Structure formats: C-alpha cells, structure tokens
Amino acid sequence: MLESRLESAPAGRRLRVARLGSGQPLVLLHGYPDNLQIWSALAPQLARHADVRAFDWPGMGESEAWPGGATPVHMAERLLTLMDHWGIDRATVVGMDMGGQPALAFAALHPERTRRLVIMNSLVLWDEATSWEIGLLRRFGWNRLLLRRLPGFVFRRALATSLPRGTVLPPDLRSDFWAAFRRREVRAFISKMCAGYQGTLPSLVALYPRIACSTLLLWGERDRHFPPTHGERLRALIPGARLEVLPSGEHWMAWHRADDVARAIQGFVDEPG
C-alpha cells in the first residue's frame, strides 16, 4: 500500500495524495472502482527515477468532489489545476482505464505541460467492442441502477474481470477500494462521470491527432474490457505513437504485472527526445 495523506487542494477541498521519489514529475491517473492504491506495486518502482504523484480523483477515493462537469475535458482541467497547485510545469502523464481519457485530453489541450504520455487499457473509442459489463454500464439507466442498488455486484465483477483468474488482491488493498466505492456519494460521482464520458467520447476523438508529445500505448494482451484493438486504432490517430502489448497482461496489469509495466514505462521515459 502507498503511504498517502489528505491535503488541502484548491478552495480548501480535501485531496488524498501519495508522493514518492524525486526527479522529473510523473503523474498517475487511476480509473474506477479503484483509486490511487491501484498504483501501489508500480509507483515505488517508477519513483526510483521520478517525482511520482498519485491522487484520488476529486469525487473518488477519499477526495472531495469539485463542482462542475465530469467529462474527460473537465477531468483534464482538474489535473491542470492540481499541477499548478503543486508547482509542476511539465510532467509525464500516465492514465489507465477512466484516467486514460483525461490524460489524452490534457496532452492535446496543454502540450506545453505534457512531457510524455502513457495510456493503458482505456475506453478511448466510442464504437469499439468492449466487455458486456462495460456495455451495460455505458447505458445511463443501467449504470445508475447498478451503481446505486448493486454496488457489491459491480465491485465483485470488477475484481473478477480485471485480474488473471485465481489472482486476488491483498485484503488491505481490496478493503481500501471497497471502503470508498461503497460510499453513496462516490458512486453518484462515478455515475455522473460515466454519463459525461459516454456523451463526449465521439467528439474526444478529434483531439487525438493534436497530441504532439511522445506517446506510449501500453495494452494488456488479455484485457477483457478493452482489447488491444483499442490501442491499435488509437495508435493510428496519434502522430508517432507507439503501441506495446504486454503478453498475458489483464486490465489491472499496473498491479499484477507491475515489474513489466515499470520496465516499459521507465524505458520509454528514458528515451532521448
């Protein structure tokens, strides 16, 4: 588990943050139903060479919600606000799952603030095939019903479909995820976020060709939610992007294949240019 603390973010709102290492800034953006602790196996390895920041998105984990919308562009602007707050001029941004879309929007809209970009296992194309679980949650009525009435079912399905069969999270990590996800206000924000993402995904594609920084698309070969075809199509849309498919990698490969993911990201960050 990462050592984290509650900080006062802009306007005095509570934000849970983990800070590790020193060097070039590197910011980690999580998805759901997880939180910053999804990086608990990966962040310490990246922190050997970088100033790593992981945080719970406002409205998720232990962070207080911020007013306003919850589209990927809104989330990207929150990242910008936090980087300003931390005094970070430029950073390598790593996004997975629903952290991937804000990372892409941020790189496109704020090229001067993005050193490099890494996207992992994300729903980045509105018309690409996904798992049936994601297909169901993309329907706002079903999303709101399942998140409000059956959070345990959604959480258990996420655990079962994001890791290799037979692999389980350590009790403290699972407990941390569940403690936040079980809170009604967190699930209400996630439902709002899902609606915002679903409504803007088609227009988000227009931003991808504007990304000018070095970009690594790191995909799990066995991601059951967003197969590597997502990464293949995204590579064609981002100038100069490179795709690496991690053999046997599943959706939460940032945890279950942290060593391999760390090597891929560190090698990419260390490249000249």
Side-chain angles (χ1 to χ4, degrees):
M1 295 280 285
L2 296 176
E3 182 178 345
S4 63
R5 64 185 182 184
L6 293 175
E7 299 184 358
S8 179
R13 301 181 187 93
R14 185 181 69 244
L15 186 84
R16 185 169 70 153
V17 183
R19 301 169 179 247
L20 304 85
S22 62
Q24 291 282 357
L26 187 151
V27 182
L28 302 170
L29 308 178
H30 69 85
Y32 90 94
D34 50 291
N35 55 44
L36 69 81
Q37 295 294 353
I38 193 64
W39 307 109
S40 60
L42 177 63
Q45 300 190 55
L46 298 176
R48 296 169 186 163
H49 307 281
D51 173 7
V52 176
R53 307 287 175 97
F55 64 94
D56 289 343
W57 281 111
M60 300 174 68
E62 296 181 18
S63 296
E64 288 184 295
W66 294 11
T71 69
V73 171
H74 287 108
M75 305 286 271
E77 294 309 305
R78 286 169 188 154
L79 173 59
L80 178 65
T81 298
L82 288 172
M83 285 178 55
D84 288 342
H85 178 69
W86 293 329
I88 296 176
D89 290 330
R90 297 177 72 226
T92 294
V93 179
V94 180
M96 63 168 282
D97 190 73
M98 296 188 81
Q101 299 93 331
L104 289 160
F106 182 85
L109 297 172
H110 303 289
E112 75 286 356
R113 306 296 296 271
T114 315
R115 181 169 176 262
R116 293 179 187 265
L117 177 66
V118 181
I119 303 297
M120 303 193 302
N121 300 342
S122 300
L123 175 60
V124 294
L125 297 158
W126 66 275
D127 59 344
E128 188 60 60
T130 67
S131 65
W132 68 263
E133 291 94 344
I134 296 299
L136 196 61
L137 289 169
R138 291 178 72 183
R139 302 177 184 178
F140 181 67
W142 279 102
N143 179 292
R144 184 169 53 180
L145 174 66
L146 291 169
L147 289 175
R148 180 182 299 173
R149 300 290 182 85
L150 297 170
F153 168 78
V154 176
F155 187 74
R156 289 190 298 272
R157 287 303 302 168
L159 297 182
T161 56
S162 298
L163 295 167
R165 288 176 174 85
T167 301
V168 296
L169 296 177
D172 57 347
L173 182 55
R174 187 186 191 282
S175 177
D176 191 270
F177 286 175
W178 175 240
F181 189 70
R182 69 186 299 182
R183 291 179 15 229
R184 184 181 298 271
E185 63 269 26
V186 170
R187 299 197 311 276
F189 175 80
I190 291 172
S191 183
K192 175 183 177 181
M193 183 178 67
C194 288
Y197 278 46
Q198 181 64 13
T200 56
L201 263 179
S203 60
L204 194 65
V205 174
L207 292 178
Y208 301 159
R210 295 169 54 180
I211 295 173
C213 64
S214 296
T215 302
L216 172 65
L217 311 176
L218 189 57
W219 236 262
E221 179 189 29
R222 296 181 180 173
D223 191 316
R224 282 171 269 178
H225 295 301
F226 313 122
T229 50
H230 289 251
E232 291 167 4
R233 288 183 59 193
L234 183 60
R235 174 178 56 182
L237 294 170
I238 300 176
R242 183 170 81 235
L243 172 66
E244 293 186 21
V245 178
L246 186 63
S248 302
E250 304 224 13
H251 188 61
W252 279 349
M253 64 186 188
W255 185 79
H256 83 92
R257 295 288 298 277
D259 292 351
D260 295 319
V261 173
R263 279 193 291 270
I265 293 177
Q266 194 58 57
F268 170 66
V269 170
D270 288 343
E271 290 176 357

